Amino acid sequence: MSRTAAAPARAAGKTSARVAESADHGTRERLLDAAGEVFADRGYEQATIREICRRAGANIAAVSYHFGDKKTLYIEVIAFAHRCADEYDPAREAANAASDPAERLRAFVLTFMQRIGHKGRPAWHARLMAREMASPGAALDHVVRSGVRPKFEALQAILRRLNPRLGERQVERCACSIVGQCLIYHHARPVLARLFPHLRLDDREIAQIAEHITRFSLSAVAQAHLGGGDRS
Amino acid sequence: MSRTAAAPARAAGKTSARVAESADHGTRERLLDAAGEVFADRGYEQATIREICRRAGANIAAVSYHFGDKKTLYIEVIAFAHRCADEYDPAREAANAASDPAERLRAFVLTFMQRIGHKGRPAWHARLMAREMASPGAALDHVVRSGVRPKFEALQAILRRLNPRLGERQVERCACSIVGQCLIYHHARPVLARLFPHLRLDDREIAQIAEHITRFSLSAVAQAHLGGGDRS
DNA sequence: GGGCCTATCAAACAGGTGTTTCAATCGCGT
DNA sequence: ACGCGATTGAAACACCTGTTTGATAGGCCC
């Protein structure tokens, strides 16, 4: 019942090697793009295949045909977002690889905040990640493994260089503190908008907030006696 | 169509003044309790009336009868959670009213973290609030006005006493930084669980994390030159 | 041109949702 | 005991969800 032939969905993904740029480029990619936006806006459960297909100008059966499943579509959207993010990142990241740790932290926070804040068109990548972090979906493991963990370890490396006296648990908790400071502007945006009506979160303000978070965290990390727990 | 008589739901809410403790105490309150838990766990859209009624041991029509609507039930659950939280709080808060600001911050963070972390039975209040903060539902305005804003202003008062040289915007951003550090352990719990398998978030660890956040923030707030933006 | 695979379409399907309906039951005042 | 309102019960309603179906074109190679 659930798996009749399983051929069409796989066929589109495997055998269309040379058609991937002519015929497939139309619906399949348009579907990925629309799905990313809808998933980022509404969340996995709340997003409907019908709206995705409507935005992509495709038929309702297109998702079933090209991806076979809503869950599979979601996973491939995550992977697609990942590919897009990866080819946008390494330039900036490599450039700051050699600079001093404080500058690296500043760049890390600024990049994070910019990705979160931008409401612009092709910016559902970060929103999707944040959404997936908040409510675990089908692709959480994949997102964590290849998206979140690398960033987190990069941040932890920066922290260790900033203050070599920090224990491993302290490094982890400082990383959580920094990421948490950034994420609240995404997770609690509606609340913050009501609390602080003057909040606008445009480019200038995002840069200011990133600078605040950077200095806030630099001051804190510089303190050696952050302890309280085990030093592991 | 949508509103036939509207009598039964209102009748239960208004005319049952003296029955509110005998007959109503059974289903209505049991419904509120179950709904709070389900709403906190699954979120508004994902929570089903059938599961709420099943947990409350009530019929499917009970919600429609006692509250008339799923949205109305949700709003009353928020109000109910608020009532419960208010009668649990002022004791602790008043006790620390006179102590020094650093101790007040420590108490604030610890209370916040305990409420967030506890998975225990009657602890869906904070989880509900956090859930509502992340995804704005029907009762967001009410939650912010009477639930979040007072806490936030209390925190800002503490910060002003900690460092009187802070500008107003800086106070706001420091408050966001502190709340953000706490909230990540709730919003991103599944991710953190995968990133740090050793994380257990029991009472002892929550106390340690609260202590970390407190010291982290105290070090940062103590720095005078946090600027970067306007001083407003 | 004739088959054959790929892609799209409208329509329908099974399942789950919030809500309503109407009969049956309970509790209590008279 | 009776009657009446408040409350509960099982079934049905209309709607929306993801998924499947069978038909219909379109391109491509032999």
Side-chain angles (χ1 to χ4, degrees), chain B residues 2 47-50 69-70:
Chain B
S2 58
T48 78
I49 288 190
R50 279 171 170 85
D69 221 340
K70 183 186 181 183

Side-chain angles (χ1 to χ4, degrees), chain B:
Chain B
M1 281 292 181
S2 58
R3 295 297 172 89
T4 55
R10 290 298 177 83
K14 298 280 184 177
T15 68
S16 64
R18 68 172 195 278
V19 207
E21 296 163 332
S22 62
D24 240 7
H25 187 79
T27 353
R28 204 184 132 92
E29 186 145 324
R30 205 146 21 91
L31 229 38
L32 276 175
D33 202 27
E37 204 147 0
V38 177
F39 278 138
D41 279 355
R42 309 246 193 286
Y44 174 76
E45 312 274 5
Q46 203 63 11
T48 78
I49 288 190
R50 279 171 170 85
E51 178 177 1
I52 292 174
C53 291
R54 181 157 33 85
R55 284 211 206 181
N59 192 277
I60 318 174
V63 162
S64 178
Y65 177 77
H66 284 280
F67 302 94
D69 221 340
K70 183 186 181 183
K71 191 188 297 182
T72 309
L73 166 65
Y74 183 62
I75 294 180
E76 292 220 23
V77 164
I78 296 278
F80 175 61
H82 240 296
R83 248 176 291 136
C84 295
D86 278 350
E87 68 190 26
Y88 197 70
D89 215 33
R92 200 193 231 127
E93 192 137 347
N96 295 59
S99 71
D100 78 309
E103 273 320 303
R104 291 201 59 186
L105 180 65
R106 177 168 281 110
F108 182 96
V109 172
L110 181 61
T111 309
F112 202 173
M113 287 299 296
Q114 282 175 339
R115 290 212 185 156
I116 283 177
H118 261 313
K119 276 281 187 185
R121 244 286 293 132
W124 44 265
H125 313 91
R127 281 188 289 146
L128 230 192
M129 301 288 179
R131 170 82 63 170
E132 178 73 10
M133 283 181 61
S135 54
L140 217 209
D141 287 288
H142 183 251
V143 167
V144 169
R145 205 157 22 219
S146 57
V148 179
R149 193 188 296 278
K151 309 285 179 195
F152 237 92
E153 286 179 354
L155 176 58
Q156 285 173 296
I158 297 175
L159 291 175
R160 274 187 279 264
R161 287 181 56 195
L162 271 171
N163 187 346
R165 299 166 57 191
L166 256 41
E168 204 50 38
R169 288 292 149 83
Q170 295 173 356
V171 170
E172 293 174 2
R173 286 171 188 165
C174 287
C176 288
S177 286
I178 293 173
V179 174
Q181 287 180 75
C182 299
L183 277 184
I184 189 181
Y185 290 94
H186 178 269
H187 284 147
R189 185 194 294 256
V191 176
L192 293 182
R194 282 164 173 77
L195 271 180
F196 309 123
H198 53 74
L199 208 70
R200 243 177 316 165
L201 288 188
D202 50 9
D203 286 0
R204 191 180 60 89
E205 192 163 18
I206 282 183
Q208 288 179 7
I209 293 175
E211 185 61 25
H212 157 82
I213 294 174
T214 303
R215 297 194 194 183
F216 191 96
S217 305
L218 282 176
S219 300
V221 173
Q223 300 292 93
H225 40 71
L226 270 171
D230 36 58
R231 187 164 272 267
S232 168

Side-chain angles (χ1 to χ4, degrees), chain A:
Chain A
M1 281 293 181
S2 58
R3 297 296 171 95
T4 54
R10 289 302 178 83
K14 298 282 184 177
T15 68
S16 64
R18 68 171 192 280
V19 206
E21 295 163 331
S22 61
D24 240 6
H25 187 80
T27 348
R28 203 184 134 93
E29 184 145 325
R30 207 148 15 94
L31 229 38
L32 275 174
D33 201 28
E37 204 148 0
V38 176
F39 279 139
D41 280 354
R42 309 247 195 284
Y44 175 76
E45 313 272 6
Q46 202 65 12
T48 76
I49 287 189
R50 279 171 171 84
E51 178 176 1
I52 292 174
C53 291
R54 182 157 33 83
R55 284 211 206 182
N59 193 275
I60 318 174
V63 163
S64 179
Y65 177 76
H66 284 279
F67 302 93
D69 220 341
K70 183 187 181 182
K71 192 188 296 182
T72 309
L73 167 64
Y74 184 64
I75 295 180
E76 292 220 21
V77 164
I78 297 278
F80 175 60
H82 239 296
R83 248 176 290 137
C84 294
D86 278 351
E87 67 189 27
Y88 198 68
D89 215 34
R92 197 192 233 127
E93 193 138 344
N96 295 61
S99 73
D100 79 307
E103 273 323 300
R104 291 201 61 186
L105 179 65
R106 176 167 282 109
F108 182 96
V109 172
L110 181 61
T111 308
F112 202 173
M113 288 299 294
Q114 281 175 340
R115 289 215 186 152
I116 283 177
H118 263 311
K119 275 282 187 181
R121 245 288 292 137
W124 44 265
H125 314 91
R127 281 189 287 145
L128 228 193
M129 301 288 179
R131 168 83 62 171
E132 178 72 8
M133 283 182 61
S135 53
L140 218 208
D141 287 289
H142 182 252
V143 167
V144 169
R145 206 156 22 220
S146 57
V148 180
R149 192 189 298 276
K151 309 285 179 192
F152 237 91
E153 286 180 352
L155 175 59
Q156 285 174 297
I158 297 176
L159 292 175
R160 273 188 280 265
R161 287 182 54 195
L162 270 171
N163 187 346
R165 300 166 59 189
L166 257 39
E168 205 50 38
R169 287 292 147 85
Q170 296 172 356
V171 169
E172 292 174 2
R173 285 171 189 165
C174 287
C176 288
S177 287
I178 293 173
V179 174
Q181 288 180 75
C182 299
L183 277 183
I184 189 180
Y185 290 94
H186 178 269
H187 284 147
R189 184 195 295 259
V191 176
L192 293 183
R194 281 165 174 77
L195 272 180
F196 309 123
H198 53 75
L199 208 70
R200 244 176 317 165
L201 288 189
D202 50 8
D203 287 0
R204 193 180 58 88
E205 193 164 17
I206 283 184
Q208 288 179 8
I209 293 175
E211 185 61 26
H212 157 82
I213 294 175
T214 303
R215 298 195 191 183
F216 191 97
S217 305
L218 282 176
S219 300
V221 173
Q223 300 292 94
H225 39 70
L226 272 172
D230 37 56
R231 188 164 271 267
S232 171

